[in-house]
């Protein structure tokens, strides 16, 4: 095999054992890598009903056939597991030198199971694997861990770690790399904490075998140059994703006061242009020349790396319009190892619940000091913090009093930063995303704005599926960043050329789409298998707030989603995906995708 190493490193923390395990080419050709490998491993090896925080769950760090080669935007790692937050499939991608080093160490993935008897660091240097005592790092935040390990290992070592959120099994804890690049929204950090795995350090020294190395070298040079020619390149370098604040404010989809308003009277204070005045540097993932992490000094004079989602969820969504303060909350989230989107959502939920007088705690909108204290309480599971640490779906069940009406999630994953009161296509993207309410698979809201936001039509479903197959399927399996294509317009031909030079195989667009369909369908089957008789199409419906409570202010005041029309769109979506009326892949679809054996393990409702 070329392009793939053909080897996974299987690690058992209970036994302190690690062994390389070759896999066959069929797996590579049918599932590509990244998310594709992750779901195949989880499907094949996890028993239905496995407790996500038990030693039996697998934590997978997985790369793709373009990782580590020195190509633009390819220093990405998919981190996957059964999610303790949602109970379904969970993953996230993170830019990290660990991605590059795993490949150079001779592996395509680390598959970790078991539980260490005391805190441990996994150190991998090519074939040598050590299980090192991490007692002195337990209790430290992810920045401190990175600093301490950097002193010991080489400058380019791949390091991923968890902060206190992962240690304390906070259900939306992430895995953190490079002081600000976090991955694994649905609690991948908690899974790592449950295994007492504080950090992984990877160092590789081996070349990656490529089908056409000279061609690849030239493609890499040309690819970097091509990005520089894109008209939006220089503005992207200035603001990265932060320009979305203005766009969302103008289009009434900025999450504000727990998704009630769509516009925020202090939006300018957290905008991309305000950020530009504070910016001290750019940071990015390995091997990227689009470096979209905007580093600013926060209100405590420390570096904080900002992007749109984090700023909005810890800003307008909780009523805070001071970017330096938002940056402090963002840094705290990265240090503790919280997913900042979910953190902003549970805080917004707590504020609204407090405003309604349903909990004794007083947490006012935008109250910076109260928010900081609450973040600490969540990290250490104190008082209300312990309730919120379980995620917003669970918190609403604990608090009751109808609070599920303002718990903003899909399948237990908190909604990321787009208000969908008048965006049925984006709402459907959230409803049908692979991990719960996340935008990564299909960020279609800017397209939808141009296509007519009020429409509930087949064209939107077609565009959604096309985007999911590309971004949620192909890009997540190749583990490349979605922004070159999605935000700068880098043509898809580049990826076909990269893939051919790496693997020697030519994948047509149809083949890639079918592979993506296979991956996303198997992910859907995993959800159905795990939820069993609790599975229902209602799980593909976004929060009721968007259907029942019209926008209260702004130019689109009064806008609200229509449940009947949404449901009709969902039917079209299911039919086009080859899923039944309950959102379960049919036997014919599974057979067509080479997944015939899957049908025996899921229930058809
Ligand atoms: S564009 Fe941003 S997210 Fe994508 S690879 Fe570069 S730094 Fe990472």
């Amino acid at each position: 095999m070329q392009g793939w190493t053909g080897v996974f490193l299987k690690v058992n923390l209970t036994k302190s054992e690690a062994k390389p395990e070759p896999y066959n080419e069929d797996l590579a050709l049918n599932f590509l890598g990244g998310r594709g490998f992750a779901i195949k491993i989880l499907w094949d090896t996890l028993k239905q009903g496995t407790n996500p925080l038990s030693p039996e769950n697998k934590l997978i760090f997985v790369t793709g056939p373009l990782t580590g080669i020195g190509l633009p935007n390819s220093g990405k790692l998919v981190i996957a597991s059964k999610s303790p937050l949602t109970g379904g499939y969970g993953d996230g991608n993170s830019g990290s030198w660990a991605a590059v080093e795993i490949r150079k160490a001779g592996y395509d993935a680390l598959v970790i199971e078991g539980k260490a008897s005391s805190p441990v660091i996994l150190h991998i240097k090519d074939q040598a694997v050590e299980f090192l005592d991490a007692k002195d790092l337990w209790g430290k935040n992810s920045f401190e861990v990175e600093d301490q390990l950097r002193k010991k290992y080489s400058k380019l070592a791949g390091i991923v770690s968890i902060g206190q959120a992962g240690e304390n099994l906070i259900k939306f804890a992430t895995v953190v790399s490079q002081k600000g690049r976090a991955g694994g929204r649905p609690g991948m950090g908690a899974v790592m904490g449950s295994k007492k795995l504080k950090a992984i350090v990877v160092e590789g020294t081996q070349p990656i075998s490529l089908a056409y190395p000279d061609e690849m070298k030239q493609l890499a040079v040309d690819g970097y140059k091509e990005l520089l020619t894109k008209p939006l390149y220089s503005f992207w370098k200035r603001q990265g994703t932060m320009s979305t604040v203005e766009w969302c404010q103008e289009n009434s989809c900025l999450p504000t006061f727990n998704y009630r308003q769509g516009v925020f009277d202090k939006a300018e204070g957290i905008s991309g242009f305000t950020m530009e005045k504070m910016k001290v540097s750019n940071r990015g993932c390995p091997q990227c020349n689009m470096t979209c992490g905007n580093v600013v000094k926060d209100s405590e004079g420390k570096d904080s790396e900002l992007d749109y989602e984090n700023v909005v969820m810890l800003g307008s969504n909780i009523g805070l319009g001071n970017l330096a303060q938002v940056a402090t909350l963002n840094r705290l989230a990265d240090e503790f190892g919280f997913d900042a989107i979910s953190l902003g959502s549970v805080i917004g939920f707590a504020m609204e619940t407090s405003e309604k007088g349903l909990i004794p705690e007083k947490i006012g909108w935008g109250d910076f000091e109260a928010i900081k204290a609450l973040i600490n309480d969540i990290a250490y599971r104190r008082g209300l913090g312990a309730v919120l640490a379980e995620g917003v779906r669970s918190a609403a069940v604990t608090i009751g009093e109808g609070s599920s009406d303002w718990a903003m999630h899909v399948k237990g994953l908190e909604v990321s930063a787009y208000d969908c009161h008048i965006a049925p296509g984006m709402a459907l993207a959230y409803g049908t995303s692979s991990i719960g309410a996340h935008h990564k698979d299909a960020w279609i809201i800017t397209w939808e704005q141009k296509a007519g936001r009020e429409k509930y039509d087949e064209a939107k479903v077609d565009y959604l599926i096309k985007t999911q197959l590309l971004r949620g399927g192909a890009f997540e399996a190749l583990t490349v960043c979605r922004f070159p294509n999605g935000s700068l317009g880098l043509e898809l031909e580049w990826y076909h050329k990269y893939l051919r030079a790496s693997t020697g195989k030519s994948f047509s667009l149809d083949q890639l789409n079918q592979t993506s369909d296979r991956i996303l369908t198997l992910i859907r089957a995993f959800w159905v298998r795990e939820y069993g008789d609790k599975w229902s199409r209602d799980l593909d419906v976004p929060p009721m707030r968007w259907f029942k409570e019209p926008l209260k202010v702004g130019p689109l005041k009064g806008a609200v989603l229509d449940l009947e029309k949404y449901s009709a769109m969902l039917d079209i979506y299911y039919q086009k995906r080859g899923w039944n009326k309950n959102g379960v892949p049919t036997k014919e679809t599974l057979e067509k995708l080479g997944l015939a054996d899957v049908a025996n393990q899921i229930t058809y409702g």
Side-chain angles (χ1 to χ4, degrees), residues 73 76 181 236 284-285 288 290-292 481 483:
N73 312 74
K76 291 275 195 180
R181 315 210 79 73
W236 176 267
C285 306
C288 173
M290 288 170 60
T291 52
C292 66
C481 177
F483 290 136

Side-chain angles (χ1 to χ4, degrees), residues 349 353 358 392 395-408:
F349 169 82
T353 310
L358 300 174
V392 80
V397 172
T398 303
I399 290 168
E401 308 276 3
S403 60
S404 59
D405 282 356
W406 58 91
M408 302 300 288

Side-chain angles (χ1 to χ4, degrees), residues 75-77 93-99 160 176-178 180-183 284-286:
K76 291 275 195 180
L77 185 65
N93 79 35
S94 173
S96 170
W97 282 106
V160 293
V176 186
S177 186
Q178 299 174 212
R181 315 210 79 73
C285 306

Side-chain angles (χ1 to χ4, degrees), residues 156-475:
L156 288 181
I159 298 174
V160 293
S161 69
I162 54 168
Q164 299 93 329
E167 292 177 9
N168 295 329
L169 312 182
I170 310 307
K171 296 284 172 62
F172 46 91
T174 54
V175 178
V176 186
S177 186
Q178 299 174 212
K179 297 187 175 183
R181 315 210 79 73
R185 286 196 62 205
M188 303 300 100
V191 176
M192 192 157 157
S194 75
K195 299 188 176 306
K196 290 262 183 280
L197 178 59
K198 182 66 179 173
I200 304 174
V201 181
V202 197
E203 298 172 291
T205 61
Q206 304 168 47
I208 296 163
S209 158
L210 302 173
Y212 304 114
D214 292 339
E215 194 179 314
M216 184 60 99
K217 222 179 198 169
Q218 192 57 49
L219 277 171
V221 172
D222 294 346
Y224 282 113
K225 279 193 198 148
E226 179 69 19
L227 284 167
L228 300 179
T229 69
K230 298 296 173 196
L232 290 174
Y233 180 82
S234 62
F235 189 56
W236 176 267
K237 284 282 278 192
R238 279 170 50 195
Q239 294 206 359
T241 56
M242 283 291 294
S243 60
T244 317
V245 177
E246 277 90 352
W247 188 88
C248 282
Q249 172 76 352
E250 279 165 21
N251 291 285
S252 295
C253 47
L254 194 72
T256 307
F257 301 119
N258 199 26
Y259 293 88
R260 287 191 299 204
Q261 294 197 176
V263 293
F264 183 43
D265 57 359
K266 297 179 186 146
E268 207 183 322
I270 58 167
S271 72
F273 293 102
T274 300
M275 180 279 297
E276 279 197 64
K277 289 180 202 143
M278 296 165 59
K279 186 164 165 172
V280 293
S281 64
N282 278 65
R283 271 193 210 152
C285 306
Q287 302 175 335
C288 173
N289 66 344
M290 288 170 60
T291 52
C292 66
N294 300 294
V295 182
V296 301
K297 290 288 177 200
D298 67 23
S299 63
E300 295 172 4
K302 296 183 179 168
D303 285 354
S304 178
E305 185 180 332
L306 304 180
D307 65 29
Y308 166 75
E309 301 282 334
N310 296 13
V311 164
V312 166
M313 293 308 293
L314 294 169
S316 54
N317 194 55
I318 56 175
L320 189 62
N322 177 317
L323 192 57
Q325 292 180 338
V326 172
T328 299
L329 303 183
N330 175 67
R331 174 180 49 80
L332 285 175
D334 284 337
E335 285 179 349
F336 280 127
F338 285 120
D339 171 55
I341 296 172
S342 290
L343 182 64
S345 185
V346 297
I347 295 170
F349 169 82
M351 287 171 164
E352 185 165 348
T353 310
S354 169
E355 182 185 60
K356 288 176 159 68
L358 300 174
I359 50 174
E361 292 83 358
K362 299 281 170 243
I363 317 147
W365 297 105
D367 182 342
F368 179 58
E369 293 304 328
I371 299 165
K372 273 205 301 184
L374 184 57
I375 289 175
N376 272 275
D377 285 348
I378 297 170
Y380 294 104
R381 290 182 170 271
R382 292 187 295 242
L384 176 64
V387 176
L388 301 176
E390 294 294 302
V392 80
R393 176 171 68 178
S394 168
V397 172
T398 303
I399 290 168
E401 308 276 3
S403 60
S404 59
D405 282 356
W406 58 91
M408 302 300 288
H409 71 91
V410 173
K411 302 183 185 74
L413 182 69
E414 290 75 16
V415 176
S416 53
Y418 303 92
D419 189 309
C420 292
H421 273 93
I422 180 162
M426 189 68 216
L428 188 62
Y430 280 140
T432 58
S433 147
S434 304
I435 59 169
H438 194 46
H439 58 290
K440 181 181 64 185
D441 284 8
W443 183 68
I444 62 168
I445 196 161
T446 53
W447 173 86
E448 182 170 29
Q449 202 265 349
K450 288 183 204 134
R453 288 174 65 176
E454 65 297 338
K455 290 187 199 156
Y456 295 71
D457 61 13
E458 197 175 334
K460 282 194 181 176
V461 177
D462 287 336
Y463 190 79
L464 170 62
I465 293 173
K466 186 176 144 199
T467 311
Q468 286 175 328
L469 292 177
L470 176 65
R471 289 177 52 153
F475 286 171

